[in-house]
Amino acid sequence: MKAMGVFALMLIFGLFSADLPFSSAQTIFNVLDYGAKADGKTDDSNAFSAAWKAACSAGTQNPTVVVPSRKDFLVYPLTFQGPCKSSSISFQVIGTINAPSSPSVWRGRNARRWLIFHGVTGLLITGNGTFNGHGSEWWDLSCADHPRKTGCATVIPMALNIIHCKRSTISDIYTIDSAKYHVVVNQSSDILVKNMHITAPESSPNTDGIHIELSQNVLVNNSVIATGDDCVSIGELSSNINVSYVTCGPGHGVSIGSLGRYGNSVKVENIHVKKVNFKGTTNGVRIKTWQIGLGYVRKISFEHITLESVENPIYIDQNYCIDLNGTRGNCEPKSTGVHISEVTYDDIVGTSSSNAAIHLNCSHSIACTGITLSSIKIESDKSGQQVISECTNAHGTNSGVVQPKSCLQS
């Protein structure tokens, strides 16, 4: 038993590649054993695919795909397909997995997503390794950000995608420089994302750290996220989402939205954000919905939040829009809107880099209701300056000290 333990450990850390024949009792599936060159230049996609298929079809409990340490692997867009035979399967990344760096290489491939885990139950992605999206050449190509650029890209790859998965965990992973979102949880349930380190330059567009949509029962915990967009963003048809013990910044904060862009009915509820430290972000806790959206955002809480020079610490924008000239926020009022209600802000302290520390920009047609401000103390990060609160059609109650003075209507 001890010998087998040492053997497995050596395989995991890539000290050698076993030449033993594979058997139905196999539990370790090292990508090197399936032909990966690990030179950072050769396409290792087939080796990764073969290792996954072997592990996924294995009859043993908790088969483990191993990406060994001190190795660089080049992997093109790839789907790791479930369901798997075992009730649990691990994908252990100790080395570095690299995306193709040149956008031209993606022609004819799935340029929307880089790595996809689809339809897997009991998945564990872990190992202290790195997913490197090599996104820098993509960042100036987005048609959304550069609409007049010749040859701009309408589709840009998201790095690590968890789709239609259940009871799964991503932990202790580094993701860097994704072309677009770093981690996506989509149409999944009972997902834990913890101990993550996610980084990209502050200037990199749309590089959200973790994006959650069409999912239920997701916990994001104990992570450090510093990117060019939202640290965590929560999209359509999501519920029972908990974000806690996260350090965020630089970036755009933690956002619910944007929601309702296409006039669709929004259903987002039971979102709880607590123990988040924002450092130099453009927003703190934000809810953003489009004017033309329908439906609701409700039962939301932001608690025990600390702020260090945050531009918009507490922010609701129920009037998000783009006018005919492509300018954001300069549109005529609409009779439609997403109803935002039962939102609690409690124990939020720190400094604001903007004049309006509390900005609740609710629709003239569909008011924000049931807003609670409790134990708020936000000051300017500039000596001698004061901060204010600004509200439009925002209704609710105050509890304890609220600084700056609340602008809520009863």
Side-chain angles (χ1 to χ4, degrees):
M1 290 296 289
K2 289 184 178 179
M4 280 300 293
V6 172
F7 173 75
L9 193 62
M10 293 177 76
L11 274 176
I12 289 173
F13 285 94
L15 298 181
F16 67 86
S17 179
D19 294 321
L20 299 177
F22 302 126
S23 73
S24 59
Q26 183 182 355
T27 58
I28 301 297
F29 300 82
N30 191 321
V31 295
L32 296 177
D33 295 322
Y34 292 86
K37 300 302 182 184
D39 58 10
K41 300 177 182 178
T42 305
D43 180 6
D44 287 327
S45 304
N46 288 338
F48 273 67
S49 180
W52 174 263
K53 288 177 181 177
C56 190
S57 61
T60 53
Q61 278 301 306
N62 195 34
T64 300
V65 175
V66 174
V67 181
S69 66
R70 298 187 295 276
K71 302 289 185 181
D72 278 283
F73 301 88
L74 175 62
V75 178
Y76 282 62
L78 189 60
T79 297
F80 301 98
Q81 185 65 52
C84 296
K85 191 170 183 179
S86 174
S87 60
S88 62
I89 183 169
S90 295
F91 192 90
Q92 191 161 41
V93 181
I94 309 171
T96 299
I97 304 176
N98 298 281
S101 58
S102 173
S104 63
V105 175
W106 292 73
R107 292 194 185 113
R109 304 175 187 270
N110 180 7
R112 187 174 299 278
R113 302 182 190 274
W114 175 31
L115 301 177
I116 302 171
F117 290 84
H118 187 277
V120 186
T121 297
L123 171 66
L124 170 63
I125 303 174
T126 189
N128 290 308
T130 300
F131 292 89
N132 190 334
H134 290 283
S136 60
E137 291 190 34
W138 288 96
W139 295 334
D140 290 329
L141 289 180
S142 168
C143 292
D145 295 299
H146 307 280
R148 295 179 177 83
K149 187 181 184 72
T150 302
C152 67
T154 57
V155 176
I156 294 177
M158 297 173 277
L160 182 57
N161 300 267
I162 308 301
I163 303 176
H164 282 295
C165 292
K166 298 177 181 178
R167 299 192 297 279
S168 297
T169 298
I170 312 171
S171 72
D172 302 289
I173 290 294
Y174 292 76
T175 70
I176 63 174
D177 294 345
S178 179
K180 198 175 179 184
Y181 306 159
H182 285 77
V183 177
V184 175
V185 178
N186 185 307
Q187 301 174 80
S188 296
S189 61
D190 302 306
I191 306 297
L192 172 61
V193 184
K194 67 175 184 176
N195 303 335
M196 298 291 288
H197 290 78
I198 301 175
T199 58
E202 185 175 3
S203 59
S204 59
N206 303 309
T207 52
D208 295 39
I210 300 168
H211 178 71
I212 302 162
E213 62 183 6
L214 300 133
S215 296
Q216 295 76 43
N217 304 323
V218 180
L219 172 61
V220 177
N221 180 255
N222 196 37
S223 296
V224 177
I225 305 172
T227 69
D229 211 296
D230 295 329
C231 292
V232 180
S233 57
I234 299 165
E236 307 278 1
L237 298 176
S238 295
S239 60
N240 300 324
I241 313 296
N242 289 270
V243 179
S244 61
Y245 297 95
V246 170
T247 296
C248 171
H252 294 182
V254 173
S255 294
I256 299 172
S258 62
L259 304 170
R261 178 171 188 170
Y262 303 104
N264 53 298
S265 182
V266 171
K267 295 180 180 179
V268 173
E269 61 185 334
N270 292 321
I271 312 297
H272 305 291
V273 178
K274 69 177 182 180
K275 295 286 187 180
V276 176
N277 180 25
F278 295 96
K279 296 182 177 181
T281 52
T282 57
N283 303 286
V285 291
R286 175 172 63 163
I287 302 174
K288 181 171 64 172
T289 65
W290 289 74
Q291 280 184 319
I292 60 174
L294 305 170
Y296 59 80
V297 175
R298 66 189 183 193
K299 298 179 181 176
I300 313 296
S301 67
F302 301 105
E303 300 175 299
H304 314 306
I305 304 296
T306 59
L307 311 159
E308 299 179 37
S309 296
V310 173
E311 190 172 338
N312 297 295
I314 296 174
Y315 190 23
I316 291 178
D317 186 1
Q318 207 179 2
N319 293 294
Y320 198 70
C321 67
I322 297 178
D323 68 12
L324 296 176
N325 298 316
T327 303
R328 290 181 179 178
N330 187 29
C331 306
E332 293 295 324
K334 302 286 186 182
S335 60
T336 52
V338 177
H339 184 205
I340 298 172
S341 66
E342 300 175 76
V343 182
T344 296
Y345 301 92
D346 180 47
D347 186 25
I348 300 179
V349 299
T351 58
S352 172
S353 62
S354 63
N355 182 48
I358 301 172
H359 189 190
L360 308 180
N361 179 26
C362 300
S363 166
H364 288 284
S365 304
I366 310 292
C368 300
T369 59
I371 310 297
T372 300
L373 296 174
S374 174
S375 301
I376 311 293
K377 188 176 182 181
I378 305 174
E379 301 174 330
S380 175
D381 66 352
K382 302 171 186 65
S383 179
Q385 293 196 17
Q386 301 296 314
V387 293
I388 63 171
S389 61
E390 294 182 343
C391 295
T392 301
N393 211 14
H395 299 259
T397 59
N398 308 296
S399 175
V401 174
V402 177
Q403 179 186 332
K405 184 179 179 181
S406 174
C407 54
L408 286 174
Q409 298 174 248
S410 59

